[in-house]
């Protein structure tokens, strides 16, 4: 058995852009960004294909990677199984018309070529008719067998009165047992005294 080990290469494309030679130590290494609704990040994340498209689009018009992610995110959330039209996309995005058309055309092409349909990964749920039960990627399945749950006792007035009556009965039984114990003890003492009197006579 041989474990495959990748060979080290010196000539790597884009090495200078990924690892620049000049490095300056930053003032602080940990940056904390406060959580607020104004700075909410989109659910869509750029991939390498999107990055290539954004770099080409930057030559013609002004657009950032975060702005592109927000536009794709709004288009994805605005459309379900059926894609939104260009007019609906203009109402959703509210940006420059030329920029909207470029992003819309790219998004519609990528959406049609994708296998899953939706570009934002989401959790699969079980259908109402139960047809997707054999799919292993379906989360939150309903139970096929109904589990028997424990019946909780109702703490109502009738049960409370029964418990009070049971307590009174038990306290009376304890009192009767104590009296029986004292009676038997007295009978035993009386027997001993009778024996002593008989012996003395």
């Amino acid at each position: 058995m041989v474990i495959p080990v990748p060979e080290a290469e010196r000539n790597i494309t884009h090495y200078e852009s990924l690892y620049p030679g000049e490095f300056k130590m930053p003032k602080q290494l940990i940056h904390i960004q406060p959580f607020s609704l104004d700075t909410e990040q989109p659910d869509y994340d750029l991939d390498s294909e999107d990055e290539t498209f954004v770099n080409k689009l930057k030559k013609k018009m002004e657009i950032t990677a975060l702005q592109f992610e927000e536009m794709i995110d709004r288009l994805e959330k605005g459309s379900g199984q059926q894609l939104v039209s260009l007019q609906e996309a203009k109402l959703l995005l509210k940006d420059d018309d030329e920029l909207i058309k470029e992003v819309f055309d790219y998004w519609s092409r990528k959406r049609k070529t994708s296998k899953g349909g939706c570009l934002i990964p989401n959790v699969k749920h079980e259908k109402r008719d139960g047809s997707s039960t054999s799919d292993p990627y379906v989360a939150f399945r309903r139970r096929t067998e109904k589990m028997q749950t424990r019946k909780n006792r109702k703490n109502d007035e009738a049960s409370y009165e029964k418990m009070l009556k049971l307590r009174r009965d038990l306290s009376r039984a304890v009192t009767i047992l104590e009296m029986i114990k004292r009676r038997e003890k007295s009978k035993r003492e009386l027997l001993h005294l009778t024996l002593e009197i008989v012996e003395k006579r």
Side-chain angles (χ1 to χ4, degrees):
M1 299 296 292
V2 179
I3 300 175
V5 179
E7 296 180 358
E9 296 181 1
R10 290 186 177 180
N11 298 325
I12 301 173
T13 56
H14 310 293
Y15 182 84
E16 298 296 332
S17 61
L18 294 174
Y19 303 101
E22 298 178 358
F23 175 75
K24 293 181 180 179
M25 181 66 73
K27 292 181 180 179
Q28 59 185 34
L29 299 176
I30 300 174
H31 298 273
I32 300 174
Q33 185 176 2
F35 292 101
S36 61
L37 295 174
D38 299 333
T39 59
E40 188 177 357
Q41 297 295 322
D43 294 332
Y44 181 78
D45 295 322
L46 244 73
D47 55 11
S48 56
E49 186 181 353
D50 297 336
E51 192 175 355
T52 306
F53 174 76
V54 171
N55 291 333
K56 288 182 181 178
L57 203 60
K58 279 181 181 178
K59 298 176 181 178
K60 294 189 288 184
M61 53 194 71
E62 293 183 359
I63 185 172
T64 60
L66 181 61
Q67 185 181 358
F68 178 79
E69 287 180 349
E70 290 175 351
M71 293 173 75
I72 298 293
D73 186 70
R74 288 179 186 174
L75 289 172
E76 281 292 320
K77 291 178 180 177
S79 61
Q81 296 294 330
Q82 189 176 1
L83 302 182
V84 295
S85 61
L86 182 59
Q87 298 299 325
E88 293 172 341
K90 289 180 180 179
L91 295 174
L92 285 171
L93 301 178
K94 296 178 181 179
D95 286 304
D96 187 36
D97 290 345
E98 188 177 354
L99 177 62
I100 292 173
K101 189 176 183 307
E102 291 284 344
V103 175
F104 177 79
D105 292 339
Y106 172 77
W107 167 74
S108 58
R109 286 195 307 270
K110 189 171 183 179
R111 181 76 183 266
K112 289 174 183 177
T113 54
S114 65
K115 295 179 181 179
C118 183
L119 299 181
I120 299 176
N122 53 1
V123 179
K124 287 186 178 181
H125 295 278
E126 189 178 16
K127 295 181 181 179
R128 292 185 180 271
D129 55 356
S131 59
S132 62
T133 53
S134 60
D135 192 356
Y137 296 101
V138 173
F140 309 112
R141 300 173 183 271
R142 287 177 287 184
R143 294 184 182 272
T144 55
E145 298 178 1
K146 189 176 180 182
M147 295 183 66
Q148 186 178 2
T149 56
R150 184 179 177 181
K151 294 181 180 179
N152 296 325
R153 296 176 180 174
K154 294 182 179 179
N155 192 12
D156 51 0
E157 189 176 354
S159 63
Y160 180 68
E161 289 178 357
K162 288 179 182 178
M163 294 298 291
L164 286 178
K165 184 178 180 298
L166 181 63
R167 184 180 179 184
R168 285 196 299 267
D169 293 343
L170 288 173
S171 63
R172 284 176 186 172
V174 169
T175 307
I176 291 171
L177 288 172
E178 288 290 335
M179 293 174 71
I180 291 172
K181 184 180 178 182
R182 286 167 61 187
R183 184 192 70 183
E184 295 297 323
K185 191 176 181 181
S186 300
K187 286 171 70 175
R188 185 182 179 186
E189 289 177 356
L190 179 62
L191 180 63
H192 284 296
L193 288 172
T194 307
L195 288 172
E196 286 179 5
I197 291 170
V198 171
E199 287 176 355
K200 285 181 180 180
R201 281 181 182 177

Short mmCIF file of all heavy atoms in Angstrom, two decimals, residues 141-151:
data_model
loop_
_atom_site.label_atom_id
_atom_site.label_comp_id
_atom_site.label_asym_id
_atom_site.label_seq_id
_atom_site.Cartn_x
_atom_site.Cartn_y
_atom_site.Cartn_z
N ARG A 141 -37.41 14.62 9.67
CA ARG A 141 -38.46 13.70 9.24
C ARG A 141 -39.51 13.55 10.34
O ARG A 141 -39.22 13.65 11.52
CB ARG A 141 -37.88 12.32 8.93
CG ARG A 141 -36.84 12.33 7.83
CD ARG A 141 -36.21 10.95 7.73
NE ARG A 141 -35.16 10.92 6.74
CZ ARG A 141 -35.36 10.63 5.46
NH1 ARG A 141 -36.56 10.34 5.04
NH2 ARG A 141 -34.36 10.62 4.60
N ARG A 142 -40.73 13.27 9.91
CA ARG A 142 -41.79 12.96 10.86
C ARG A 142 -41.72 11.50 11.26
O ARG A 142 -41.30 10.65 10.48
CB ARG A 142 -43.17 13.25 10.24
CG ARG A 142 -43.46 14.75 10.14
CD ARG A 142 -44.77 14.98 9.48
NE ARG A 142 -44.68 14.70 8.04
CZ ARG A 142 -45.67 14.90 7.18
NH1 ARG A 142 -46.81 15.34 7.61
NH2 ARG A 142 -45.51 14.63 5.90
N ARG A 143 -42.12 11.19 12.46
CA ARG A 143 -42.07 9.82 12.96
C ARG A 143 -43.12 8.97 12.27
O ARG A 143 -44.25 9.40 12.09
CB ARG A 143 -42.30 9.79 14.47
CG ARG A 143 -41.20 10.46 15.27
CD ARG A 143 -41.47 10.27 16.74
NE ARG A 143 -40.45 10.94 17.55
CZ ARG A 143 -39.32 10.38 17.92
NH1 ARG A 143 -39.05 9.14 17.56
NH2 ARG A 143 -38.44 11.03 18.66
N THR A 144 -42.69 7.77 11.88
CA THR A 144 -43.64 6.84 11.25
C THR A 144 -44.53 6.18 12.29
O THR A 144 -45.71 5.93 12.05
CB THR A 144 -42.88 5.77 10.46
OG1 THR A 144 -41.94 5.12 11.33
CG2 THR A 144 -42.13 6.40 9.30
N GLU A 145 -43.97 5.89 13.48
CA GLU A 145 -44.75 5.28 14.54
C GLU A 145 -45.03 6.31 15.62
O GLU A 145 -44.14 7.06 16.03
CB GLU A 145 -43.98 4.10 15.16
CG GLU A 145 -43.70 2.98 14.16
CD GLU A 145 -42.91 1.86 14.81
OE1 GLU A 145 -42.62 1.99 16.02
OE2 GLU A 145 -42.61 0.88 14.12
N LYS A 146 -46.25 6.31 16.07
CA LYS A 146 -46.64 7.26 17.11
C LYS A 146 -46.18 6.74 18.46
O LYS A 146 -46.53 5.65 18.87
CB LYS A 146 -48.16 7.44 17.10
CG LYS A 146 -48.63 8.58 18.00
CD LYS A 146 -50.11 8.78 17.88
CE LYS A 146 -50.57 9.93 18.77
NZ LYS A 146 -52.04 10.12 18.70
N MET A 147 -45.36 7.54 19.14
CA MET A 147 -44.82 7.14 20.43
C MET A 147 -45.87 7.35 21.53
O MET A 147 -46.62 8.33 21.50
CB MET A 147 -43.56 7.93 20.76
CG MET A 147 -42.41 7.65 19.83
SD MET A 147 -40.93 8.53 20.32
CE MET A 147 -40.56 7.75 21.86
N GLN A 148 -45.90 6.42 22.47
CA GLN A 148 -46.82 6.52 23.59
C GLN A 148 -46.24 7.45 24.64
O GLN A 148 -45.18 7.19 25.19
CB GLN A 148 -47.09 5.14 24.19
CG GLN A 148 -48.16 5.15 25.27
CD GLN A 148 -48.44 3.77 25.81
OE1 GLN A 148 -47.80 2.81 25.38
NE2 GLN A 148 -49.37 3.64 26.72
N THR A 149 -46.93 8.54 24.88
CA THR A 149 -46.45 9.53 25.84
C THR A 149 -47.04 9.26 27.22
O THR A 149 -48.10 8.65 27.36
CB THR A 149 -46.84 10.94 25.39
OG1 THR A 149 -48.27 10.99 25.21
CG2 THR A 149 -46.18 11.30 24.07
N ARG A 150 -46.35 9.71 28.23
CA ARG A 150 -46.80 9.51 29.60
C ARG A 150 -47.93 10.49 29.92
O ARG A 150 -47.84 11.68 29.63
CB ARG A 150 -45.64 9.71 30.56
CG ARG A 150 -45.99 9.44 32.01
CD ARG A 150 -44.77 9.65 32.88
NE ARG A 150 -45.11 9.46 34.28
CZ ARG A 150 -44.25 9.60 35.27
NH1 ARG A 150 -43.00 9.94 35.00
NH2 ARG A 150 -44.61 9.42 36.52
N LYS A 151 -48.98 9.96 30.53
CA LYS A 151 -50.11 10.80 30.88
C LYS A 151 -49.81 11.55 32.18
O LYS A 151 -49.48 10.94 33.20
CB LYS A 151 -51.37 9.96 31.06
CG LYS A 151 -51.84 9.29 29.77
CD LYS A 151 -53.10 8.48 30.01
CE LYS A 151 -53.56 7.81 28.73
NZ LYS A 151 -54.78 6.99 28.94
#
